[in-house]
């Protein structure tokens, strides 16, 4: 009996010492506690405040799981070894499969750039490029709205980030989650969690970030401009469009091939009329499955040691700058086009050039209707909006070509 | 450049402000040039499609006489991204709201605004 009591006590002590709770009080364990609080705040933002909930809930829960001491679901050390040039396990997915946890397996899809491209395929299948085809001038606003990408990149270099890190931070200004994730996973994987959280948070905050800038950069008279209906786009044009864009953009900048190729393939599934089943699968089932895997694995990269640094604060700040300047870039292009067209183009549609489909276009519509309740800018704003998706993919392709090996 | 594994360019790891400025300007120019060229391609594509459309009626065709809609019909309605079922529903709702019989209304087109 005495022996049994001794064993029970010993076992309980051992369990207590090895429990996750005890880990909070050892060394940097408190950082995990802070990350758990951050994960709960992100869950609150996703569930209660509806900040991009489809991604935010997964990211936040991945963050929670990875910071529970002892869970061993994600092993950052494995990925450090994976990236260590000349090391035994350099670029060895086999080693990750042998030693990794569940979220390490999920993360392989991010690291290999598979999930962001599949998400892009879904985006392509859900996007109607008709407004862009009927008004190709929208491309100019989509291009101008990438200004924030390069200003934030330059700002990041100024405050001490390395070239690849700055490129990954700058792409937040493209307001395109999958593009930001793909670029960060390739150029600065240690910053991936912070960049993804910043990108999706600011995308959710577009209705708050953009309107003050829109009112500041445009006149009341211009905001009330009613735009004429654009021409009808034939089915044939919509089918040819993804094929032409793929050939043209990929030949121009081959590093955009994964993103543009998948975006346009998804769009071709939608438009060609003979692959309705595939289009439906890409838009719904595939998109949902990939979103789960992408969000949880990106969230898992937010381990305390990598997330709780001054760099994260810098990313959050620069991300906001990137979003703001991209919006201003698009609006300035809108202003110029308004003047050149003698008041036929409402400059508010320029802010939709920051991709973030269709949220940014909706904001243009809402702001336009505030000045003129009979104004319907949504379809006009969808032109720069989808041009922004192509523009941010080109910007990412350029940065990956410059900073990638 | 491989897809499954991807490294960074060590020469571009630590760059100066001057190089960063050049990269930023060049990048913005590349995005602009890419999209402007794409715009030109889409314009050309649109022109080709619309000119073909215009050329088509020039071909010998039987004289078209606009037929009066049959009594009790709503006439020809052009549908853009709207199914027949949705169009029928919309027309029925409009008729109901206006308190007019459907055959006294003329619907020209119904377009989905996303």
């Amino acid at each position: 009996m005495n022996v049994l009591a001794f064993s029970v006590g010993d076992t309980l002590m051992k369990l207590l010492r090895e429990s996750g709770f005890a880990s909070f009080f050892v060394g940097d364990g408190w950082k995990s506690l802070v990350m758990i609080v951050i994960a709960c705040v992100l869950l609150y933002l996703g569930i209660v405040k509806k900040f991009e909930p489809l991604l935010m809930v997964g990211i936040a829960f991945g963050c929670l799981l990875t910071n529970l001491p002892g869970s061993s679901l994600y092993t950052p050390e494995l990925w450090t070894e994976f990236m260590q040039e000349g090391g035994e396990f350099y670029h060895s997915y086999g080693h990750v499969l042998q030693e990794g946890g569940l979220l390490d397996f999920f993360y392989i899809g991010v690291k290999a750039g598979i999930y962001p491209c599949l998400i892009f395929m879904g985006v392509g299948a859900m996007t109607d490029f008709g407004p862009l085809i009927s008004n190709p001038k929208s491309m100019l606003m989509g291009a101008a709205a990438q200004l924030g990408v390069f200003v934030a990149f330059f700002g990041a270099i100024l405050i001490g980030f390395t070239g690849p890190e700055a490129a990954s931070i700058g792409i937040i200004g493209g307001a395109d989650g999958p593009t930001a994730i793909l670029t960060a996973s390739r150029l600065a994987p240690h910053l991936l969690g912070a960049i993804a959280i910043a990108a999706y948070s600011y995308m959710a905050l577009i209705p708050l970030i953009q309107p003050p800038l829109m009112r500041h950069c445009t006149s009341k008279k211009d905001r009330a401009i009613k735009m004429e209906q654009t021409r009808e786009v034939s089915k044939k044009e919509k089918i040819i469009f993804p094929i032409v864009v793929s050939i043209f953009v990929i030949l121009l900048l081959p590093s955009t091939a994964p993103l543009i190729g998948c975006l346009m393939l998804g769009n071709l599934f939608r438009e060609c009329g003979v692959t309705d089943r595939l289009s439906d699968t890409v838009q719904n089932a595939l998109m949902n499955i990939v979103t789960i895997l992408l969000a949880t694995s990106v969230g898992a990269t937010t381990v305390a040691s990598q997330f709780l640094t001054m760099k994260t604060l810098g990313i959050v700040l620069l991300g906001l700058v990137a979003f703001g300047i991209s919006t201003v870039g698009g609006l300035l292009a809108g202003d110029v086009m308004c003047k050149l067209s003698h008041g036929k183009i409402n400059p508010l549609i320029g802010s939709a050039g920051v991709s973030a489909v269709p949220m940014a276009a909706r904001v243009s519509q809402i702001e336009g209707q505030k000045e003129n309740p009979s104004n319907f800018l949504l379809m006009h704003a969808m032109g720069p909006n989808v041009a922004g998706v192509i523009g941010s993919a080109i910007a990412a392709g350029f940065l990956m070509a410059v900073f990638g090996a | 450049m491989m897809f499954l594994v991807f490294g960074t360019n060590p020469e571009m790891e630590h760059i100066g402000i001057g190089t960063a400025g050049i990269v930023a300007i060049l990048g913005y120019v590349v995005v602009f040039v890419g999209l402007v060229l794409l715009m030109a391609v889409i314009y050309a594509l649109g022109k080709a499609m619309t000119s073909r459309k215009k050329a088509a009626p020039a071909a010998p065709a039987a004289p078209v006489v606009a037929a009066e809609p049959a009594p009790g019909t709503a006439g020809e309605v052009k549908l853009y991204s709207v199914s027949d079922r949705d169009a029928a529903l919309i027309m029925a709702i409009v008729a109901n709201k206006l308190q007019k019989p459907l055959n006294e209304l003329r619907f020209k087109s119904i377009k989905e605004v996303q």
Side-chain angles (χ1 to χ4, degrees):
Chain A
M1 189 69 195
N2 196 23
V3 172
L4 184 65
F6 176 74
S7 298
V8 168
D10 201 29
T11 306
L12 284 176
M13 280 306 289
K14 187 171 181 287
L15 281 175
L16 192 65
R17 271 199 306 276
E18 289 179 1
S19 79
F21 289 108
S23 308
F24 289 137
F25 307 101
V26 180
D28 280 345
W30 62 272
K31 286 185 176 176
S32 298
L33 203 55
V34 174
M35 286 308 299
I36 290 169
V37 173
I38 291 174
C40 292
V41 171
L42 293 174
L43 280 171
Y44 170 80
L45 292 176
I47 297 167
V48 181
K49 296 288 176 188
K50 303 208 167 32
F51 273 29
E52 295 281 334
L54 294 180
L55 276 141
M56 195 58 94
V57 172
I59 289 176
F61 210 78
C63 171
L64 178 72
L65 291 176
T66 203
N67 286 292
L68 292 173
S71 66
S72 303
L73 288 170
Y74 177 76
T75 330
E77 298 78 25
L78 282 181
W79 294 103
T80 309
E81 288 173 337
F82 183 89
M83 293 304 292
Q84 214 157 35
E85 215 168 333
E88 194 184 346
F89 303 113
Y90 180 56
H91 285 171
S92 167
Y93 283 115
H95 179 58
V96 175
L97 288 169
Q98 207 170 12
E99 304 286 333
L102 179 68
L103 295 179
D104 286 308
F105 302 156
F106 286 8
Y107 185 64
I108 289 173
V110 177
K111 193 75 193 163
I114 296 168
Y115 302 152
C117 295
L118 290 178
I119 294 267
F120 243 54
M121 197 185 287
V123 171
M126 289 196 279
T127 304
D128 175 12
F129 282 97
L132 178 64
I133 302 170
S134 65
N135 185 15
K137 286 194 289 282
S138 308
M139 286 281 187
L140 297 174
M141 288 179 264
Q146 306 309 312
L147 180 64
V149 172
F150 298 101
V151 172
F153 160 76
F154 188 71
I157 293 289
L158 282 182
I159 63 172
F161 284 95
T162 66
E165 287 175 344
S168 307
I169 295 166
I171 209 72
I172 297 174
D176 199 326
T179 308
I181 289 172
L182 182 71
T183 311
S185 67
R186 310 201 134 204
L187 299 180
H190 53 291
L191 302 181
L192 176 62
I195 287 172
I197 288 171
Y200 282 110
S201 302
Y202 291 136
M203 277 163 68
L205 288 171
I206 273 183
L208 294 177
I209 296 171
Q210 286 197 324
L213 296 169
M214 292 163 93
R215 287 190 284 271
H216 188 74
C217 294
T218 56
S219 70
K220 198 173 168 60
K221 187 181 148 223
D222 288 348
R223 287 199 296 275
I225 291 172
K226 274 183 91 167
M227 290 179 69
E228 285 170 19
Q229 183 126 13
T230 51
R231 74 173 174 89
E232 268 173 45
V233 177
S234 68
K235 191 77 189 159
K236 207 182 276 180
E237 276 178 277
K238 286 188 176 179
I239 295 171
I240 295 172
F241 177 80
I243 301 167
V244 168
V245 172
S246 300
I247 294 171
F248 181 77
V249 177
I250 295 171
L251 285 178
L252 186 74
L253 206 59
S255 53
T256 60
L259 287 176
I260 293 291
C262 287
L263 181 74
M264 291 301 145
L265 175 61
N267 190 247
L268 189 61
F269 283 154
R270 172 197 168 95
E271 302 294 355
C272 70
V274 291
T275 53
D276 288 349
R277 274 169 52 195
L278 300 186
S279 175
D280 177 57
T281 303
V282 172
Q283 286 185 43
N284 299 293
L286 182 64
M287 188 84 160
N288 291 341
I289 291 167
V290 175
T291 300
I292 294 167
L293 298 174
L294 178 76
T296 46
S297 51
V298 165
T301 63
T302 57
V303 284
S305 58
Q306 289 179 0
F307 194 84
L308 293 178
T309 62
M310 288 308 285
K311 280 187 172 180
T312 302
L313 273 181
I315 292 166
V316 170
L317 191 71
L318 286 164
L320 183 61
V321 170
F323 254 71
I325 293 180
S326 284
T327 302
V328 171
L331 287 167
L332 292 179
D335 274 330
V336 171
M337 290 176 72
C338 175
K339 299 284 177 289
L340 292 178
S341 66
H342 304 292
K344 284 186 182 160
I345 292 176
N346 189 319
L348 286 179
I349 65 169
S351 64
V354 298
S355 47
V357 182
M359 181 90 83
R362 279 192 200 139
V363 174
S364 299
Q365 158 77 10
I366 291 166
E367 287 302 305
Q369 277 202 325
K370 277 184 189 165
E371 294 302 335
N372 181 353
S374 65
N375 215 348
F376 287 95
L377 293 177
L378 189 64
M379 287 313 280
H380 300 288
M382 283 305 289
N385 209 189
V386 294
V389 177
I390 300 175
S392 61
I394 294 180
F398 170 80
L399 292 169
M400 283 194 278
V402 172
F403 293 100
Chain B
M1 189 165 61
M2 288 180 288
F3 190 66
L4 282 177
V5 288
F6 199 92
T8 53
N9 180 356
E11 286 174 15
M12 295 298 284
E13 195 77 25
H14 299 283
I15 57 172
I17 293 170
T19 313
I22 293 167
V23 169
I25 292 166
L26 188 64
Y28 199 42
V29 169
V30 165
V31 172
F32 247 101
V33 169
L35 288 181
V36 166
L37 290 176
L38 192 56
M39 181 179 84
V41 171
I42 296 171
Y43 261 124
L45 182 70
K47 281 271 187 294
M49 300 300 282
T50 47
S51 64
R52 189 172 290 179
K53 236 185 234 175
K54 277 178 192 160
V64 179
V65 181
E68 276 294 306
T73 72
E76 280 285 317
V77 186
K78 284 184 182 170
L79 302 182
Y80 302 103
S81 313
V82 178
S83 67
D84 289 348
R85 188 174 168 276
D86 290 345
L89 273 170
I90 290 164
M91 288 191 285
I93 291 166
V94 172
N96 179 259
K97 289 276 176 199
L98 294 173
Q99 294 291 303
K100 293 232 178 209
L102 199 53
N103 62 340
E104 286 181 17
L105 298 171
R106 288 287 172 271
F107 292 88
K108 287 184 176 173
S109 66
I110 300 175
K111 187 175 186 178
E112 186 187 353
V113 179
Q114 286 171 335

